[in-house]
Amino acid sequence: KVKMYKYKLKRRSFIKSSALSATGIFIGFTFDPQKSIATETKIKNELGLWIRISSDDTITLIVPSSEMGQGVNTSLSMILAEELEADWKTIKTETAPANSDYSNPESNWGQMTVGSSSVKGFWEPLRKAGASAKLMLIMSAAQRWGVPFEECLARSGYIIHINSSRKLSYGELAEEAGKMDIPSDAPLKNSKGYNLVGKPIQRLDIPSKTNGSAQYGIDVRLPEMMFASIRQSPVFGGEVLSFDEDAALNIRGVKKVILIPNGIAVVADNTWRAEKGIKALNVKFKGGKTIGLESKDVHMQMLKALDAEGKTILEENKTLDLEYEVPFLAHSTLEPMNCTAHVTEHFCKVWVPTQSQGGSKDAAKEITGLDEEQIQISTTYLGGGFGRRTETDFVRQAILIAKELGKPVQLTWTREEDMQHDFYRHASISRFQIGLGKDGSLSSWNNQLTSPSILKRSFAPMSWFDIDPTSTEGADELPYTIQDFDFKYSIVDPGIPVGWWNSVGSSYNAFFTESAIDEAAHLAEEDPLDYRMKLLAGKHRFQNVLEKLAQASQWGRTLPNGHGLGISIHKTRGSISGAVIEVSTDPTGILTLNKAWLAIDCAKVVNPDTVRAQMEGGFNMGLSACLGEEITLKDGRVEQSNFHDYHIMRLRGVPEISVEIIESGFEIGGVGELAPPLAAPTLVNAIFSSSGKRIRSLPLSKHGIVIA
């Protein structure tokens, strides 16, 4: 007798799961997530995840997140394949289409790949989806054999009858299993039985990226496709004043000139000719909300906001009065912004490297007036995201041009357009008045912070009350024991577009706070690591990270002259990470990054190779931003235009990096945005240790420091 399981199947899920049941399993596993980042209230959106098993035993996993180099295709596939007991060699992936069923339960932003939330958000849903599919396959085999359910088990893509050793592949059972209802209570594996999760599995995207078959947005090609290039007002918010359309149309291959909001586009039969057409236009612009704005003006706006917050007068004998500052930063993704669109009266199809499928679909609905069912968003690989591709400005432009043209069109920004029309990591200034007790403890901590606001665009009421948790994260709450803690924040709006940048507010607040903690340690005449350990008494996860770093770096050893060690620790995205770096400096300002040691406690690990890669890449991105990256303004325009004047760290400057991974068993945390915040404080603390020079503003190149 086959054991019966309870089923909880909604009509919407039944339609999805039965649609392809004739050709195999097509699972729409539905549940109601109970948890949100901002609240503990129930999220209304359902989550649907599809697993396709074909008769040739190929298993295609529909990945709900965008693959932008962070290894999410592999990590999420490992979670699902683990519970499914699939043969890893049969696994393939597809990126999910734009559909609210794929909204991340850890995010308030719908179907977006942001906030280091992919593995964290889909850990439990994917486990349940895999377990449910496995249970359906087991029950199908048991019914075919006429044996009790308990006598069957799943192993490496087969259902095996224990007593007779008979077995059927998943492909042989797919059609029958695909007709079954979806169980609501399939048992999950114990972590002790994991075969994939926790193991260093080679990434699924490596072969296609090695042989050149991987498709990025810029690789899309369609029949009769045209190509577009644009120019946008160099002053933010400006408009087109004049242009020479005839001159552009006289360029070979140029087909059309199209006005778009804030700019103009030229369409041609290839990108090179479209760009030649743009240059021939001789377009002139007028107006804009940043006319005449200089970087020094933004600096003064922030100082004025801090002065309005007011300093705290301290009475302790040992006090610090500090001011730290960071500049605007570009995302500078290797692949510039691009999007391919085809719009007719009946459909809108978009191929785009995006972190926001939901936002792209909303843009298409708004511009075309089509119903949701008539719009298709296909996500390609992303040649770098870092938060920039959560925006839909370039998607909107491509759809507008395609609608006007009536043919498929690929819009590609030049590097100069990309650099000068970004949604920048905002500049910020942070002030501290810190008082120490007689024992060196933090008796008072007063911090005033100011910056532009990202959320002002998406939720204006935030700005009414000077609230933006994305800007204050990492500063408004600290793990250290502090007797008197006070934090104030105010928003400035110089008119420069700002957006999500890798680790958002933590990218600069960790620099501010961990540098200030280091200054407090030296004022207390204590070792910076020991000082942190004392202030983190009882915070065992934090202390464990510091202990791992101390062991790995041999903290406290005698260093050669001119060498120094710097340290920092930070919590974000539900995980704790820390870093130590050894540097050497000489009197001329030449800096050598000798070696860095990183440690991360993300509670659970899916693929340790991916964790290490994320930590290494993120730390280097943070180092690059710290060393030479800066966006400045002159007469309301961004001065930088390409990599000759926006200085990315070169490979020769990268230090050797060692990564310690800690599995603490707590609720799974994020990984992707843990390392960038560590780079700046760790490095400037090491520079102080090696040279006695304390740096409180970035980039380091402004202080005459260059990489050897």
Side-chain angles (χ1 to χ4, degrees), residues 107 132 141 172 204 227 244 247 272 281 425 435 437 477 485 489 515:
S107 170
S132 295
E172 292 176 285
L204 295 170
F227 300 83
D244 189 344
W272 176 247
L281 269 181
R425 199 290 304 274
E477 184 177 343
F485 180 89
Y489 171 69
S515 298

Side-chain angles (χ1 to χ4, degrees), residues 581-586 588-595 619-620 622-629 647-655 683 687 699-708:
I581 192 168
E582 181 179 346
V583 306
S584 54
T585 56
D586 69 16
T588 66
I590 301 297
L591 174 69
T592 302
L593 310 182
N594 296 299
K595 185 170 182 178
F619 193 71
N620 281 325
L623 287 175
S624 180
C626 175
L627 289 162
E629 295 182 37
H647 301 292
I648 302 293
M649 183 172 66
R650 300 301 194 258
L651 187 61
R652 70 173 185 272
V654 172
L683 182 54
I687 291 172
L700 297 180
S701 56
K702 292 174 64 175
H703 301 274
I705 296 176
V706 295
I707 290 288

Side-chain angles (χ1 to χ4, degrees), residues 252-422:
R252 181 185 175 191
V254 171
K255 306 298 182 183
K256 199 172 183 66
V257 176
I258 300 172
L259 282 168
I260 59 174
N262 195 48
I264 193 166
V266 168
V267 180
D269 55 11
N270 65 43
T271 300
W272 176 247
R273 289 171 178 169
E275 182 59 23
K276 287 182 69 177
I278 277 285
K279 291 178 179 177
L281 269 181
N282 192 28
V283 61
K284 300 288 192 292
F285 295 91
K286 65 177 181 179
K289 56 188 176 181
T290 58
I291 291 177
L293 186 71
E294 308 275 338
S295 290
K296 63 182 180 181
D297 300 324
V298 179
H299 175 77
M300 293 306 297
Q301 287 181 35
M302 291 193 291
L303 289 182
K304 185 177 179 180
L306 288 176
D307 290 342
E309 291 177 14
K311 284 188 175 183
T312 300
I313 306 300
L314 301 179
E315 298 179 355
E316 289 90 344
N317 291 326
K318 288 188 175 182
T319 63
L320 291 168
D321 190 347
L322 311 173
E323 187 172 292
Y324 283 84
E325 183 173 6
V326 295
F328 290 101
L329 296 177
H331 290 83
S332 59
T333 60
L334 185 61
E335 180 188 21
M337 298 304 104
N338 69 90
C339 178
T340 302
H342 188 193
V343 180
T344 71
E345 293 181 2
H346 307 293
F347 66 80
C348 173
K349 296 182 179 180
V350 177
W351 295 261
V352 59
T354 180
Q355 293 175 249
S356 179
Q357 289 83 2
S360 297
K361 193 164 196 174
D362 289 343
K365 287 168 63 178
E366 178 186 327
I367 294 168
T368 65
L370 295 170
D371 294 333
E372 189 168 317
E373 293 73 20
Q374 297 172 288
I375 298 170
Q376 174 186 311
I377 307 295
S378 299
T379 305
T380 64
Y381 281 134
L382 282 62
F386 316 127
R388 176 60 178 95
R389 285 187 161 97
T390 62
E391 308 292 346
T392 60
D393 51 331
F394 57 99
V395 181
R396 290 175 175 275
Q397 292 169 350
I399 295 171
L400 281 167
I401 297 167
K403 183 181 179 182
E404 177 80 13
L405 197 66
K407 291 182 178 180
V409 62
Q410 182 177 97
L411 168 65
T412 305
W413 287 20
T414 62
R415 175 63 62 193
E416 288 74 16
E417 286 294 312
D418 197 36
M419 190 71 71
Q420 296 180 334
H421 294 89
D422 203 342

Side-chain angles (χ1 to χ4, degrees), residues 369-644:
L370 295 170
D371 294 333
E372 189 168 317
E373 293 73 20
Q374 297 172 288
I375 298 170
Q376 174 186 311
I377 307 295
S378 299
T379 305
T380 64
Y381 281 134
L382 282 62
F386 316 127
R388 176 60 178 95
R389 285 187 161 97
T390 62
E391 308 292 346
T392 60
D393 51 331
F394 57 99
V395 181
R396 290 175 175 275
Q397 292 169 350
I399 295 171
L400 281 167
I401 297 167
K403 183 181 179 182
E404 177 80 13
L405 197 66
K407 291 182 178 180
V409 62
Q410 182 177 97
L411 168 65
T412 305
W413 287 20
T414 62
R415 175 63 62 193
E416 288 74 16
E417 286 294 312
D418 197 36
M419 190 71 71
Q420 296 180 334
H421 294 89
D422 203 342
F423 287 81
Y424 303 95
R425 199 290 304 274
H426 36 284
S428 179
I429 301 180
S430 187
R431 282 178 176 167
F432 297 90
Q433 302 88 53
I434 301 170
L436 303 187
K438 292 181 179 180
D439 60 352
S441 62
L442 293 175
S443 57
S444 59
W445 179 281
N446 300 274
N447 181 203
Q448 302 88 43
L449 176 72
T450 183
S451 75
S453 169
I454 301 172
L455 290 185
K456 185 176 180 181
R457 279 190 293 131
S458 55
F459 192 56
M462 289 285 189
S463 63
W464 302 345
F465 305 102
D466 272 342
I467 298 172
D468 186 342
T470 68
S471 296
T472 60
E473 63 176 19
D476 54 1
E477 184 177 343
L478 299 179
Y480 300 110
T481 299
I482 302 172
Q483 297 173 35
D484 181 10
F485 180 89
D486 182 72
F487 174 80
K488 294 184 177 71
Y489 171 69
S490 61
I491 294 171
V492 297
D493 184 9
I496 301 164
V498 295
W500 318 107
W501 195 89
N502 199 334
S503 74
V504 201
S506 287
S507 70
Y508 51 82
N509 282 321
F511 167 55
F512 299 153
T513 58
E514 282 299 291
S515 298
I517 286 290
D518 217 66
E519 294 208 48
H522 287 287
L523 181 63
E525 299 180 348
E526 294 191 32
D527 176 85
L529 186 146
D530 293 340
Y531 190 69
R532 286 172 170 82
M533 289 289 283
K534 183 175 72 172
L535 294 177
L536 292 167
K539 306 286 182 68
H540 301 300
R541 290 183 70 187
F542 286 91
Q543 289 185 322
N544 194 25
V545 169
L546 290 175
E547 287 170 357
K548 290 288 185 184
L549 290 171
Q551 294 169 9
S553 66
Q554 296 181 305
W555 185 274
R557 58 190 161 90
T558 301
L559 297 171
N561 289 336
H563 285 240
L565 292 176
I567 190 168
S568 71
I569 192 167
H570 189 66
K571 180 179 181 180
T572 187
R573 311 300 183 254
S575 298
I576 300 167
S577 62
V580 169
I581 192 168
E582 181 179 346
V583 306
S584 54
T585 56
D586 69 16
T588 66
I590 301 297
L591 174 69
T592 302
L593 310 182
N594 296 299
K595 185 170 182 178
W597 298 265
L598 310 182
I600 178 173
D601 176 357
C602 53
K604 298 183 181 70
V605 175
V606 175
N607 189 334
D609 280 356
T610 299
V611 174
R612 289 190 176 91
Q614 285 284 278
M615 293 297 288
E616 292 165 353
F619 193 71
N620 281 325
M621 183 175 184
L623 287 175
S624 180
C626 175
L627 289 162
E629 295 182 37
E630 181 181 26
I631 290 293
T632 57
L633 288 107
K634 185 176 180 61
D635 194 21
R637 308 168 182 220
V638 169
E639 292 189 276
Q640 291 71 28
S641 62
N642 211 311
F643 292 127
H644 71 286

Side-chain angles (χ1 to χ4, degrees), residues 35-38 43 103-108 117 120-122 667:
K35 191 173 179 183
S36 162
I37 288 179
I43 296 177
S103 296
N104 190 319
E106 273 288 325
S107 170
N108 291 327
S117 62
K120 183 175 169 62
F122 289 109
E667 182 180 350

